[in-house]
Structures are given as C-alpha cells and as structure tokens.
Amino acid sequence: MALPTRVKAGVHVSRAATTETAYEPLRARDPFAIVIFGASGDLSKRKLIPALYELQAAGYLPDRYAVVGFSRTPMSDEQYREAMRRELQSRSADGTEVAADNPLVHALHYQPGNNDDRETFLQLKEKLDRLDAELELGGNRIFYLSVAPEFFPLIIRNLAAAGLIRDKSDQAWSRVIIEKPFGTDLASARELNAVVTSALDESQIYRIDHYLGKETVQNILSFRFGNSIFEPLFSRKYVDHVQITVAETLGMEGRRGAYYDHAGVMRDMVQNHMLQLLCLIAMEPPSALDAQSIRDEKVKVLRTLLPLTPKEVAAATVRGQYGVGECDGAVVKGYRQEEGVDPKSLTETYVALRVRIDNWRWAGVPFLLRSGKRLPKRVSEIAVQFKQPPLLLFRDAEGGDALAPSHASANLLVMRIQPDEGISLSFACKRPGMRIQLEEVTMDFFYGEAFRQRSPEAYERLLLDALRGDASLFTRSDEVDYAWRFITSIHEGWAQLPPPKFPNYYPFTDGPDEANRLFGDSPPAWRSLRDA
Ligand code: BG6
C-alpha cells in the first residue's frame, strides 16, 4: 500500500473564497478564574499558559479574568508572572516581545500549596474570593488538574471540602478539567469516576483528550458528514480495511521513563487518542453537533468493542519494545536503558492491533491500529483502503493483469492528522498512450496550502470550549468506561500469555515485522511509515 512520493506539480488546490467568521460568537463571555494545579509543570509551561496567551491575543477571552497557578514551589505573584513571561518569550516564534504589562501576564497570580494539605486549599479559596471581589469575576471558576493522576482524587476532595465547588444549579459555574490518564484500568477508572462524580455533576467535568482539539481530528466529522460523496462509501460494502497509525520518533526524552514504564503505549496512546480516532472514523452521523449527540454516537462504537479472551488477544495484538540503535553515528538508547525504566521491563513501546466493529455498517471490516515510540517518522493518519473493482477488466490479451495499476493501492483515502495536515485520494487512471494501461495517481489536499492561516493549537481550542461550557470535544464517563473495558481485557490477556521477547525492534524502523501477521496470510500489509 505504499503511496508514491507526493509530487505537487500538476496539483491545483482551490478554495471558494469565504468571509472569515468573526470571533465574536465564539468568545468566552463570562468572567472567570482558572486555577492550574501543577503550575510549575511541563504541560502548564509548554501548552496551557501559551494557549491562554494566544486566546487573549486573538480576543477570545473576556475583559475580566484571572489565572492562578498552584504548586509547591514557593513564589510570589510577581515571580510567577516573570517566570511565565520568560517562558512565553522563549516560545515566541517570531521573537515578538512579551511585555510585562501584557494582559495575560498581568492576569497571572500564584498560590503556593500542597495537593494534600487542606489548609492551602483554604488559602486558595481566600485568594479566589479576593480576586472575585476585586475583578468582579462572578464566582465562575475552572480548575485544571495538570498533575500526576494519583493526585486527582485528592485535589477533588480538597476542593469540595474547601467549598470551592458550587452546585451545578448555582448561577456561578464550577468546572474541572482532568488531564489523562483517567485511570489505569477499568477498576481504577471506575473508582476515580466515583470520587469525581461524588463532588461534581457530569456536566461540570471536562476529561481532556488533546487529540480531539486538533483541527484535522475535528475535520474527520466535517469531511464525513459535510460532504455527500464519501460517506455512502464508508461501509462494509466498499471498504476493505482501515489503518490508523500514530507513530512517533521520540523515545523517553530523558524524563518520561518512570511514568511510561507503568503505562506502555496501550494506556498512553491507544486507550484514549487512538480509540477516539476510531470512533470518529466509524461512528454514525450524530443527530446534531452538540456534546450529547456526538458522544452518544461515539459510545455506540465503543460498545461494540467487546472484551477479548486471552486467545483473541494473542491473535489480534502484537507488542514491541525498541532496543539499542544508532542514528547519525550516535548510539540511541534502548528502552530498557532509558532513565526511570526497569532494565528488565516488559512494557510495550509499540502495539499493533486488529479490531472488529460489529455493527451493521462495519461487520467484517478489519480496523488495524498501530502506535509506537522510536519509529522512523512522526506521522498520525487514517488510511481507508477501499475494495478493488469486482472484475479485472483491464487485462492484457493473455489474461494477465499487466494493464492494471502496478500495485493495489489505488482507491485509498488517507487523512493526514499530522504533520503535512491534509487528505489524499489515490485512484487508477489511464496512462496516456495507445493502449489502455492504468496507473495510480493521487489527488492531494494540504491544509497549509489551501488555508494560509494559523491553525489554533489543540489546547487553545479545548480551553476555549471549556470556558464556554461546550463539552463536545471532551470525553464522557461512559466513553472512558467502555474504552477501559476493552483495553483492560487486552492487558489481562497479555498477563496470561508467555512474556514477549523484548526488545524486538530497532529504533527508527517500522516496528516488529510480526505486526504484519494481523493482515492474515495475504497482502495487504501496513503502509510503510517512511512513505506515509
Ligand atoms: C500524549 C502522550 O498524550 O500524546 C505522549 O502521553 C505522546 O507519550 C503525545 O508523545 C503525542 O501527542 P502529539 O500531539 O504530539 O501527537
């Protein structure tokens, strides 16, 4: 299924001129205070504060708001502002000066505290009450839990005990954004859910999956349900199989090993991001574009993922772990040599799985999912391989198929989530000449060429939605539950199988060769990652 190298010459992408929609209707209107737990952490510095900065610059934030950082490091408001200002400055793509009186920097405040110390939650409450009164924030509060998952229950209990969470019927709203991972298996996810829902109504909970904030992920629904020419083909009648790939070149980056060794790619990527992609590509059209209708349809897909028996797990999954390798003459550590990783670790850094969606539309169509670290290229994509025509009309006189496309990759639709965001469609075409000979050609759409404008970062979109009270792009408790039910059955299956022989792939290769067995005895096979 390798695609030919993309040649842009001859491809013309046009776009009907439209008037840009003004931002006014999407602005967060209510004044608010957002509290970031884990304020000195990576996510906060790299994603959350920059996202708020961009939202402020683009005019999406209301006139009155406050951002309160909460973490253990002792710091004053001034010190926090200066630290964040410098972070923003260092990330400014065009070197634009981030001034100390920038409205976002000015809105920053800091509360030193411990997640397990109730006293500091009372101090936080005092600070928030003061800001409320000074800035007239109307008591609206949003708490962002950007901390290790073991702190989620503790923080929620302490917020509730300090009287920081209001009832959903209260005019002033309280919302909590929870980062992944939401649990580590079905039992722990249910336990966490019980704690969270004892203090909050489902409508106040925003479980974040940053993949849903990506433009190209949102475009899956726009593409499928905003056009009439593709959707009728999305079914067992016309689709041979679907490949969903999320490949990364990164390893443990020197700091993630301790977390990752308890997670593995199954918990880190598949339970959340990849199953969300699966839902979006397989779901039925929602009756409306609201949170309930969209999430209802996603849940229907997840419900079809029945728990697997150990035998089914052995047949439907392939695990991998990268070993030591080399890149540009330098040694690249194997996973077991990474900091924080058990030298005998059996944690998977690669997984490929074959999934069945047993419903009317998709019965019998294999969905093949793979994700891994230290693969040759960073690429996330969904490739829909349509069936070949029922009759080989284009045969030569001897009955051979030399006149057909050289390889059976035509009739392929690829949605490129990242990078090179876009969509390509490959089909067979008559090669110029005196005889009828078919060749595969590709029509390519690149976001960057068609829309010469900046796409908002995933966290910008998700933060704005949470501030506006729109939960469409956040996961609901039943989605999380069904996803864990499936993933946990795989972990339980693995526990009963002989331990895998790790390491079993070299860094920057396509993962273990064994992954091809998921296609059965005959081709097709996985798309080559280098060509993707
Ligand atoms: C995170 C995972 O959720 O997603 C990381 O914990 C992974 O391991 C990251 O690297 C990938 O996100 P993106 O947006 O870079 O594809």
Side-chain angles (χ1 to χ4, degrees):
M1 282 181 62
L3 264 184
T5 321
R6 269 192 286 280
V7 184
K8 287 199 200 155
V11 175
H12 175 71
V13 180
S14 66
R15 178 169 75 98
T18 50
T19 331
E20 297 302 340
T21 320
Y23 59 74
E24 192 55 27
L26 286 181
R27 213 167 168 223
R29 291 175 190 284
D30 297 343
F32 66 87
I34 181 168
V35 180
I36 302 178
F37 289 93
S40 46
D42 230 32
L43 184 75
S44 170
K45 287 194 277 198
R46 284 194 306 129
K47 299 286 182 189
L48 305 182
I49 298 292
L52 288 166
Y53 176 77
E54 292 296 340
L55 288 175
Q56 160 69 48
Y60 287 108
L61 298 186
D63 297 333
R64 303 191 309 276
Y65 67 93
V67 182
V68 181
F70 182 101
S71 74
R72 279 198 314 217
T73 324
M75 246 190 292
S76 66
D77 285 350
E78 275 316 318
Q79 285 168 321
Y80 183 57
R81 277 181 201 143
E82 181 51 18
M84 291 303 112
R85 191 196 66 76
R86 271 192 262 118
E87 280 288 339
L88 289 167
Q89 183 71 69
S90 70
R91 284 169 210 287
S92 156
D94 56 3
T96 314
E97 170 80 14
V98 179
D101 64 351
N102 175 284
L104 186 272
V105 176
H106 192 68
L108 295 173
H109 302 263
Y110 189 77
Q111 174 64 50
N114 259 335
N115 296 331
D116 56 3
D117 178 359
R118 288 220 167 159
E119 187 51 38
T120 50
F121 280 74
L122 294 175
Q123 289 164 8
L124 175 66
K125 181 169 191 308
E126 259 174 45
K127 181 147 200 146
L128 289 173
D129 288 345
R130 210 167 45 241
L131 287 169
D132 255 348
E134 273 169 26
L135 303 171
E136 296 173 42
L137 302 180
N140 299 320
R141 283 158 196 181
I142 188 158
F143 302 99
Y144 198 119
L145 274 45
S146 169
V147 292
E150 57 267 29
F151 294 116
F152 295 164
L154 199 59
I155 294 177
I156 292 193
R157 285 200 187 100
N158 283 338
L159 284 173
L164 277 162
I165 294 177
R166 306 206 193 209
D167 192 79
K168 72 164 180 174
S169 58
D170 202 299
Q171 220 194 344
W173 46 258
S174 302
R175 296 174 191 148
V176 176
I177 305 182
I178 305 181
E179 263 296 331
K180 67 169 258 272
F182 198 88
T184 52
D185 59 12
L186 182 58
S188 60
R190 284 186 173 164
E191 230 171 85
L192 175 57
N193 209 43
V195 174
V196 174
T197 50
S198 67
L200 296 150
D201 182 74
E202 179 67 32
S203 64
Q204 298 174 304
I205 307 167
Y206 291 72
R207 297 177 195 80
I208 213 162
D209 182 320
H210 79 279
Y211 263 58
L212 294 179
K214 292 182 192 273
E215 284 286 346
T216 43
V217 173
Q218 292 161 46
N219 189 47
I220 299 171
L221 289 195
S222 317
F223 178 84
R224 288 190 58 203
F225 304 130
N227 295 297
S228 61
I229 53 177
F230 300 107
E231 184 50 24
L233 306 181
F234 269 51
S235 81
R236 65 178 190 287
K237 255 177 142 177
Y238 303 105
V239 174
D240 182 77
H241 72 275
V242 178
Q243 294 188 18
I244 305 181
T245 300
V246 177
E248 298 183 275
T249 52
L250 293 177
M252 293 300 112
E253 303 160 74
R255 62 190 162 83
R256 298 199 73 215
Y259 147 75
Y260 196 87
D261 211 29
H262 292 107
V265 66
M266 203 66 167
R267 291 188 175 92
D268 189 49
M269 299 296 286
V270 182
Q271 186 272 339
N272 35 71
H273 310 324
M274 294 204 73
L275 289 189
Q276 287 295 326
L277 294 180
L278 177 72
C279 286
L280 294 173
I281 201 70
M283 70 190 245
E284 296 298 322
S287 52
L289 270 191
D290 56 50
Q292 179 173 348
S293 313
I294 294 175
R295 300 193 293 184
D296 283 351
E297 292 307 331
K298 286 199 287 170
V299 162
K300 284 189 203 161
V301 175
L302 292 167
R303 266 207 314 244
T304 68
L305 301 182
L306 297 177
L308 303 179
T309 63
K311 205 169 152 204
E312 288 168 329
V313 171
T317 67
V318 173
R319 285 173 279 176
Q321 187 192 79
Y322 60 87
V324 182
E326 204 200 276
C327 183
D328 297 332
V331 174
V332 176
K333 280 186 192 169
Y335 176 69
R336 288 177 176 177
Q337 287 76 50
E338 299 266 20
E339 216 177 300
V341 171
D342 176 353
K344 291 191 180 135
S345 174
L346 290 176
T347 299
E348 80 290 352
T349 60
Y350 172 98
V351 75
L353 61 154
R354 184 183 167 109
V355 169
R356 284 184 357 217
I357 298 183
D358 279 335
N359 63 17
W360 197 262
R361 184 191 281 259
W362 293 115
V365 179
F367 283 75
L368 293 124
L369 279 55
R370 65 177 162 169
S371 180
K373 299 273 184 199
R374 284 277 188 252
L375 296 177
K377 199 168 161 186
R378 175 173 182 252
V379 52
S380 298
E381 61 163 39
I382 302 178
V384 182
Q385 177 66 67
F386 293 95
K387 292 182 177 168
Q388 297 303 313
L391 189 67
L392 263 183
L393 205 51
F394 300 96
R395 290 172 167 260
D396 51 30
E398 286 76 45
D401 56 4
L403 301 181
S406 49
H407 47 100
S409 61
N411 299 296
L412 175 70
L413 177 81
V414 181
M415 298 181 164
R416 293 188 303 273
I417 308 294
Q418 65 189 26
D420 289 343
E421 289 80 358
I423 296 175
S424 71
L425 180 65
S426 310
F427 53 94
C429 168
K430 181 185 174 304
R431 186 190 190 121
M434 294 306 176
R435 56 180 197 167
I436 295 189
Q437 183 174 12
L438 302 193
E439 192 159 317
E440 180 203 334
V441 292
T442 301
M443 288 200 298
D444 235 333
F445 150 68
F446 288 85
Y447 256 91
E449 278 179 21
F451 302 94
R452 295 187 185 275
Q453 67 191 58
R454 175 183 178 272
S455 290
E457 280 275 328
Y459 279 97
E460 289 171 39
R461 170 66 199 256
L462 294 174
L463 273 169
L464 179 61
D465 280 3
L467 292 171
R468 294 173 54 240
D470 181 350
S472 309
L473 298 177
F474 294 82
T475 48
R476 206 169 58 188
S477 69
D478 46 355
E479 283 180 76
V480 176
D481 203 83
Y482 283 118
W484 274 123
R485 182 182 71 161
F486 180 64
I487 300 295
T488 300
S489 78
I490 297 180
H491 281 122
E492 286 170 358
W494 283 349
Q496 292 187 35
L497 295 172
K501 293 197 174 67
F502 283 166
N504 62 351
Y505 71 97
Y506 287 99
F508 310 116
T509 62
D510 276 15
D513 292 339
E514 197 202 339
N516 276 323
R517 83 164 153 79
L518 300 183
F519 287 88
D521 296 334
S522 52
W526 289 107
R527 283 161 55 69
S528 152
L529 284 174
R530 288 197 189 276
D531 296 338

